[in-house]
Amino acid sequence: AVVSTQSTGCDSVGVLQSAGSNPEKRKSDIALFSKLIADTTANINLLIESLPTGEVSSENQLTRLMSLLKENQEADRELEEAREKARKQLELIKSASAAIASSQLKIRAELAEKLGS
């Protein structure tokens, strides 16, 4: 409905611009322009009627707020679990990296010893 209203508005501007100075064309353009205005008005009314009401009871607000709070607490718990899992994985990576570095040093030392002999 919004696109239709926008299109009607653009069509109306086009009608006004094309009216020129021809009286017969101007009469038909005025009729068309009037129809476009009526269509736009109908579309605007439809949009207004489809809007949600602004009336929300305190009880509904409190219920929604409690629901959001519960969702927030659950998301916080999930975030903390993800952080802890990431910490453990980081420790595993650090440990594996240290083991690799140690092995590389040992291999280099053995290689240097063999080459030196």
Side-chain angles (χ1 to χ4, degrees):
V2 173
V3 173
S4 174
T5 301
Q6 180 183 5
S7 176
T8 302
C10 291
D11 291 344
S12 301
V13 170
V15 168
L16 287 175
Q17 291 174 343
S18 69
S21 60
N22 183 345
E24 290 178 22
K25 182 164 175 33
R26 187 172 275 228
K27 285 182 185 178
S28 68
D29 288 345
I30 289 172
L32 178 58
F33 188 60
S34 298
K35 181 184 179 326
L36 292 172
I37 290 173
D39 290 345
T40 301
T41 302
N43 288 336
I44 290 171
N45 285 337
L46 178 68
L47 288 171
I48 290 171
E49 289 171 5
S50 69
L51 291 173
T53 63
E55 300 173 14
V56 179
S57 71
S58 295
E59 184 177 316
N60 287 344
Q61 286 179 348
L62 183 59
T63 301
R64 180 66 179 140
L65 184 59
M66 296 304 290
S67 173
L68 289 172
L69 182 60
K70 186 176 180 179
E71 287 176 30
N72 187 316
Q73 289 170 341
E74 178 64 20
D76 188 47
R77 186 190 59 75
E78 290 173 6
L79 176 62
E80 196 53 45
E81 287 175 2
R83 282 183 183 156
E84 186 57 34
K85 184 177 178 181
R87 282 187 202 113
K88 288 177 182 179
Q89 289 176 346
L90 181 59
E91 289 302 317
L92 286 173
I93 291 169
K94 285 180 179 180
S95 176
S97 180
I100 291 169
S102 176
S103 294
Q104 286 177 336
L105 289 173
K106 183 178 177 183
I107 292 170
R108 284 184 188 161
E110 289 173 0
L111 187 60
E113 185 180 313
K114 285 181 183 182
L115 290 175
S117 322

